[in-house]
């Protein structure tokens, strides 16, 4: 019976080693999801809602500030363009006015010269016919 007892103890030792090895592997495998969860949790703490909100508003403020700056630059460009067009329109109107004045002066000169060349108008007197009535 001593030999059976030795076999039993050896078998129990083998099973115990197997159980220990399986337990160790199971703990290693089970630890992986928890390790990942802990990493995610620490990462999530790094990006708190308040931190994310502040970043979002910061980016948003920057974007709208740039858009306002672009709008201002566009407004300045448009104002310069309108000023140039108005200046050209005024210069064109002045040129037309000057040409009209020159044309009016020329017309006055032509009228004066035409009047000077016209013979003086004579007054014609109507002759009355006298008829003798008896």
């Amino acid at each position: 019976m001593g030999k059976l007892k030795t076999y039993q103890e050896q078998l129990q030792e083998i099973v115990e080693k197997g159980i220990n090895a399986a337990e160790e592997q199971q703990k290693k495998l089970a630890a992986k999801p928890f390790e990942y969860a802990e990493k995610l949790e620490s990462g999530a703490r790094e990006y708190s809602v308040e931190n994310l909100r502040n970043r979002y508003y910061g980016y948003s403020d920057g974007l709208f500030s740039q858009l306002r700056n672009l709008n201002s630059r566009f407004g300045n460009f448009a104002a310069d363009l309108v000023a140039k067009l108005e200046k050209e329109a005024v210069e064109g109107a002045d040129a037309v006015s000057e040409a009209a004045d020159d044309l009016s002066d020329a017309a006055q000169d032509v009228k004066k010269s035409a009047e000077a060349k016209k013979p003086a108008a004579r007054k014609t007197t109507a002759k009355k016919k006298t008829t003798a009535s008896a």
Side-chain angles (χ1 to χ4, degrees), residues 27-28 30 53 59 64 83 90 102-103 105 121-122 133:
K27 285 182 180 180
K28 283 183 182 178
R53 179 182 298 152
Y59 294 140
F64 288 113
V90 167
D102 291 345
L103 187 60
D105 291 344
R122 291 191 214 167
S133 66

Side-chain angles (χ1 to χ4, degrees), residues 4 44 46 64-65 78-79 88 93-94 103 108 118 125 133:
L4 285 175
E46 184 178 318
F64 288 113
S65 176
E88 289 178 8
D94 288 346
L103 187 60
Q108 290 294 327
K118 231 192 223 182
T125 54
S133 66

Side-chain angles (χ1 to χ4, degrees), residues 19-46:
I19 291 171
N20 289 341
E23 182 182 25
E24 188 178 321
Q25 287 301 318
Q26 188 276 334
K27 285 182 180 180
K28 283 183 182 178
L29 288 173
K32 291 294 181 187
F34 292 109
E35 288 172 6
Y36 290 129
E38 287 171 348
K39 285 181 184 178
L40 287 173
E41 183 181 40
S42 68
R45 284 185 193 143
E46 184 178 318

Side-chain angles (χ1 to χ4, degrees), residues 21-108:
E23 182 182 25
E24 188 178 321
Q25 287 301 318
Q26 188 276 334
K27 285 182 180 180
K28 283 183 182 178
L29 288 173
K32 291 294 181 187
F34 292 109
E35 288 172 6
Y36 290 129
E38 287 171 348
K39 285 181 184 178
L40 287 173
E41 183 181 40
S42 68
R45 284 185 193 143
E46 184 178 318
Y47 295 108
S48 69
V49 173
E50 183 178 347
N51 190 11
L52 289 173
R53 179 182 298 152
N54 291 336
R55 282 186 180 185
Y56 171 79
Y57 286 144
Y59 294 140
S60 179
D61 289 345
L63 172 68
F64 288 113
S65 176
Q66 288 177 351
L67 288 173
R68 285 185 184 93
N69 186 17
L70 181 64
N71 186 37
S72 176
R73 290 174 61 190
F74 178 75
N76 292 338
F77 172 76
D80 290 345
L81 187 61
V82 167
K84 286 179 184 178
L85 291 173
E86 286 178 345
K87 181 180 176 185
E88 289 178 8
V90 167
E91 289 173 354
D94 288 346
V96 168
S97 176
E98 189 176 312
D101 289 344
D102 291 345
L103 187 60
S104 177
D105 291 344
Q108 290 294 327

